[in-house]
Amino acid sequence: MTIRRLLARVLAVARKRAHDHELENEIAAHLEMAERDARESGMTAGEARRAARQRFGGIEQMKEEHRDRRGVAWLENLARDFLHGLNLLLRDPGYTAMVTGVLALGIGANVAMFSLVDALLLKPLPFADPDRIVRIWESPRPGATNSSSTLDFLDWKRMSQSLEAIAAESPVSVALTGTGDPVRLTGKAVTADYFRIFPAAAAIGRTFAPGEDEPGAAPVVVLSHSTWRTHFDSDPGILNRKAMLDGEPYRIAGVTPVDFAGGDEVQFWKPLIFTAGMRTRDFHWLSVHGRIRKGATLVEAQEELRAIHASLQSLSPAWKRDWKIVMEPLEQVLVGDGQRRSMLVSFGAVVLVLLIACANVANLVLAKGAARRNEIAIRMALGASAGRLIAQSLAESLGLVLLGGLAGLSTGWVVIRAAVPYLPASMGYQSAPAFDGRVFAFAAAVALGVSVLIGMLPFLQTLFAKSGRTGALSGKQGLGVRGASGANLGVRRAIVITEVALSLMLISGALLLFRTLFNLEGLETGIRIENVVTASIDLPPQSYPAPARAAAFYESLMERVRAIPDVEAAGLSTFLPLRWIGNGEGLLAPGLASAINVRFKRVDPGYFSTMGIPLRGGRGFTDRDHAAAPGVVVINDALAAHLGEAAGWTNVLGQSARLTTPRYTDRKGDLREVEIVGVIRSERTAGPGRPDPLVVYVPLAQAPSPGVELLVRARPGAATVLPAVRAALRQVDPLLPLGKTMTMEEVRDTNLSGVRRPAWLIGVFAGVAALLASVGLFGVLSQVVFLRRREIGIRMALGARPRQVVSGVLRSAMAMVAYGLGLGLAGAAALSSVMKNLIFGVSALDPAGLAAACGAMAFIGLAAGSLPALRAARVDPVTTLREE
Amino acid sequence: MSEKEMSGARSMDIPYGTLDLLILKSLETMGRLNGYALARRIEQVAGESVQLSQGAVYPALIRLQQEGWIRAELGVSETNRQVKFYSLTAAGRKQLRIEVANWEKGAALVARFLQGSAR
């Protein structure tokens, strides 16, 4: 058949009615002319008509042949069945709405969840050749990671052959002035290779050129797209302007494209220029990334780096000799194991919800299909092929499925759009979840799978119930014939039992997660959190070149802040409480075989009291611990215990030790003699449930840092003190903006977000699942009552009281629930190994939780069964017995 | 020929390929024809040797239209009714020549075989 003919045939399907009409016309005309000729040859009118028809041949046969030849039969059938299906849907809007709603929920939730999983776990990073991007760090102990030092980085850069680009970066914060109010921008200082590792086609201008990170190069900056939009009004002439960062003019080299993800909320990039003072090997402050050149493998690059590291060992300080070097593909590093696991569990949960939704829809479809079983049985008996009936079944449900699939896609799209703002801000280098081609393909696949499942059901239900076939033909619509209704009902019951089981698993999972959340929230943070706000302050080196100036600034600021009426206490610290202390230094103490790595935190005298950290012994810091005074430190009791064990100290107070201390801006550390004057209760800075690290606290006055966090505790019930704090800051330095502010509650909550999100997510899913299960139960029980109304009528006529009928139905409901619970408990036990890693403080098979979940499902079963039970009680024996 | 035989006979007696050829040839010879005239012409030319239901031309006609070998125009019949008139297209003329050539080749082949086996 030629293409032309094929197209014409397909077109003919659409023009069916026109064709039929034309043919009728032609036939009529033909017969007319034949009659006339016949009359002319002498026949009578009647004879002529008969003769004309005879010679014409079979009209209906010819019409059928015509139709077959001109159209495409299967297409016509498909169209007809599809339209018939649509018609059925329109006639029963309640059913249509329910099925569409259920499918929308199930498919939509899956689509949304998949987009999240895809964006975070599956998709490669949005850079060229992302599998070649690696992260390099030094590792003091297996599993621990540390930043790198300047000279180490430079050596790696010089000596590595397998890396085509290697760049170091360090977070940096500047005050942007000259564009309205001074504003604090957070960004990164990066070496020039950075944009070779993370390539970006600049939206305007360019990224860094080689050499712009050499000392003496003219200062340039690359802005992020949102910074350009927000602070520079999307000025198209941006390249002619300069940005005043910390009082210095920077030429603007370019703007990154809108979807460039450079890490946590990076607003700008400036070149990282290593001054002489930064070229040390003992201060670790750089994050290093590399790109493996084409032709080299990861393993080769790792080997080479290890060899380079080994060759540099002799140059490293003694306390670093045991450190290893680690190079890992960035893609593997970005999503931690914990986050990955919780996402996959959430995805599993949402798949369960989809299954329950499908089960519900299947139930609804089966109920509807029961009415057509007669028709299907007759057609099969007359010889219709299974293929034809399957095709019809599928075509009719196509309408329903398209509706549900479309609803699911839209729901998914809406959920994705609505949820993106609430997702973790630090999505980092990955792209945000979006409704893109991959997600659409997944959604289409899910919709297709669901549709085939549902489309086949009405047909399968007759095919497999052999007795049902003859049973359906033998008359009564499944009322008296046990085989027919039994088979159908058995399947529906099984489906509902499965729904109950899956719902139980979801509910118990949600309960576990919520209890974990509760446990974590209740965990002793060890500090006072209420009414404390935090704000970050960064002193620009141009205005505060010397440590003494910084110390003076802090003193002035704290004086003013403490003078604010609503402020109870205030303190300064280089790291926020509850946050990991990123600064590690070496502590040498008598009795210790070698230096130990300790966390290093600089605080002012007000810190411990502001955060309510109790002293275990000795004293905290005072104003007398200034730069000229002897060096003192306070340690946490974890370190005190360690010193007791490892160094055999009986008493820590008054002991001396040597501590590497970073200088003000130089990335160089000095070894200082310090005396331990106090021990505090350990702050919780590792994750919940992890052991406290060893921490050394140093007075800020003795080792000023250009960046600190200000902590202010307000009186209970006071309004926000931030405006007063800003005013105080303006008095000391009008050009200095306050950086990011957060309440301590927010700080604590960000630590817990890893558990809170999955808990709420699975909680919602569990709720949806329970709802769907109850709908399923309701449907089945209603059908049972309907089918058995004759039986109920007989019973009531024989003297059964309504109460007994009601309890009969309820018992039926509870039987299904009981089977479901049994199955569900087995499922929960099977999943306990998966849940184990996500929970804290509660066992995966916690009896209280399981009992609560069972109770909830039992209650739902009763509720779902109550209406059908009442309907059963209202059955009028007289009416039902008369039905025939 | 009994009535029963005539009314039962369908165009299965003439293979489709042949019917196409007859239609195309008739249209070439006669120019424009409506469905009835076409059926009558085939009847006349084929004589009594063939059982052809007149109605059988219509499925063939729609097929030929779809292939683009004939075109249909509306005209007025002798009984003053609007009816379709069919005529050959250029492609149709070409197809006719091809079909005739095929037919003659096929006939010659069969004839050779028959001669050969008769000897």
Side-chain angles (χ1 to χ4, degrees), chain A residues 792 795-796 798-811 869 872-873:
Chain A
I792 297 172
R795 283 226 206 106
M796 290 183 81
L798 286 177
R801 291 215 289 276
R803 202 179 31 157
Q804 288 167 312
V805 172
V806 166
S807 74
V809 172
L810 287 180
R811 240 178 304 134

Side-chain angles (χ1 to χ4, degrees), chain A residues 88-89 92 95 363-372 461 492:
Chain A
L88 286 177
L89 288 181
D92 197 344
Y95 165 82
N363 251 343
L364 289 170
V365 167
L366 282 176
K368 220 171 199 305
R372 311 265 318 270
Q461 136 190 38
R492 293 194 68 194

Side-chain angles (χ1 to χ4, degrees), chain A residues 615-637:
Chain A
L615 269 176
R616 293 269 197 239
R619 64 170 180 87
F621 297 136
T622 65
D623 290 330
R624 274 171 284 127
D625 299 312
H626 51 73
V632 295
V633 296
V634 166
I635 63 176
N636 69 350
D637 55 14

Side-chain angles (χ1 to χ4, degrees), chain A residues 532-663:
Chain A
V532 178
V533 293
T534 72
S536 69
I537 296 179
D538 291 90
L539 301 176
Q542 288 76 20
S543 331
Y544 296 87
R549 281 220 52 183
F553 168 84
Y554 293 138
E555 221 185 284
S556 280
L557 178 66
M558 295 317 282
E559 213 182 286
R560 284 185 169 69
V561 168
R562 291 197 183 105
I564 299 174
D566 275 337
V567 165
E568 256 182 25
L572 293 170
S573 160
T574 46
F575 294 93
L576 283 175
L578 296 185
R579 283 282 164 84
W580 177 249
I581 302 169
N583 195 345
E585 298 296 335
L587 181 73
L588 278 160
L592 284 177
S594 58
I596 52 173
N597 186 288
V598 294
R599 297 290 105 197
F600 184 83
K601 192 160 167 176
R602 294 174 261 195
V603 300
D604 83 329
Y607 176 75
F608 295 126
S609 55
T610 306
M611 300 314 303
I613 299 175
L615 269 176
R616 293 269 197 239
R619 64 170 180 87
F621 297 136
T622 65
D623 290 330
R624 274 171 284 127
D625 299 312
H626 51 73
V632 295
V633 296
V634 166
I635 63 176
N636 69 350
D637 55 14
L639 179 54
H642 179 85
L643 287 172
E645 278 174 33
W649 291 9
T650 42
N651 187 26
V652 300
L653 293 177
Q655 298 272 19
S656 289
R658 280 182 298 164
L659 179 67
T660 61
T661 306
R663 290 207 197 144

Side-chain angles (χ1 to χ4, degrees), chain A residues 728-794:
Chain A
L729 178 60
R730 257 200 303 272
Q731 282 174 7
V732 182
D733 184 344
L735 286 180
L736 194 59
L738 211 54
K740 184 158 192 224
T741 60
M742 278 201 282
T743 64
M744 269 312 295
E745 272 116 0
E746 282 165 1
V747 173
R748 180 199 58 189
D749 287 348
T750 49
N751 285 0
L752 289 178
S753 63
V755 181
R756 178 168 290 127
R757 221 171 305 113
W760 279 104
L761 212 52
I762 296 190
V764 166
F765 293 154
V768 170
L771 182 67
L772 291 175
S774 69
V775 168
L777 259 176
F778 176 80
V780 170
L781 286 171
S782 298
Q783 195 192 25
V784 168
V785 167
F786 178 76
L787 287 177
R788 287 170 132 189
R789 61 186 186 282
R790 228 175 143 229
E791 189 185 317
I792 297 172
I794 292 175

Side-chain angles (χ1 to χ4, degrees), chain A residues 196-341:
Chain A
R196 285 186 60 194
I197 301 176
F198 300 105
I204 301 180
R206 59 171 179 84
T207 56
F208 293 134
E212 281 182 327
D213 56 354
E214 298 293 327
V220 290
V221 70
V222 171
L223 301 175
S224 81
H225 201 267
S226 66
T227 308
W228 172 63
R229 221 184 20 238
T230 327
H231 300 292
F232 290 89
D233 289 325
S234 306
D235 180 2
I238 188 81
L239 295 181
N240 300 324
R241 290 171 66 168
K242 292 202 193 279
M244 295 295 288
L245 305 178
D246 282 348
E248 260 198 53
Y250 279 71
R251 189 164 56 83
I252 298 175
V255 176
T256 57
V258 67
D259 53 359
F260 182 71
D264 306 359
E265 301 167 344
V266 178
Q267 292 173 298
F268 69 91
W269 293 263
K270 67 183 246 232
L272 181 55
I273 302 178
F274 295 125
T275 61
M278 292 177 184
R279 291 170 190 260
T280 65
R281 216 175 279 276
D282 52 9
F283 188 76
H284 301 84
W285 60 299
L286 296 172
S287 300
V288 179
H289 293 93
R291 181 180 269 277
I292 303 180
R293 73 173 163 74
K294 287 204 199 332
T297 64
L298 175 66
V299 177
E300 285 170 9
Q302 283 170 329
E303 290 291 328
E304 190 198 36
L305 194 61
R306 262 184 233 125
I308 296 175
H309 180 76
S311 72
L312 295 172
Q313 282 286 46
S314 48
L315 299 171
S316 306
W319 50 270
K320 258 183 76 173
R321 293 279 158 84
D322 286 336
W323 289 21
K324 302 265 181 293
I325 190 157
V326 175
M327 177 196 285
E328 274 181 21
L330 189 60
E331 287 177 319
Q332 287 178 10
V333 165
L334 278 178
V335 180
D337 265 343
Q339 202 186 2
R340 183 189 303 267
R341 209 176 287 123

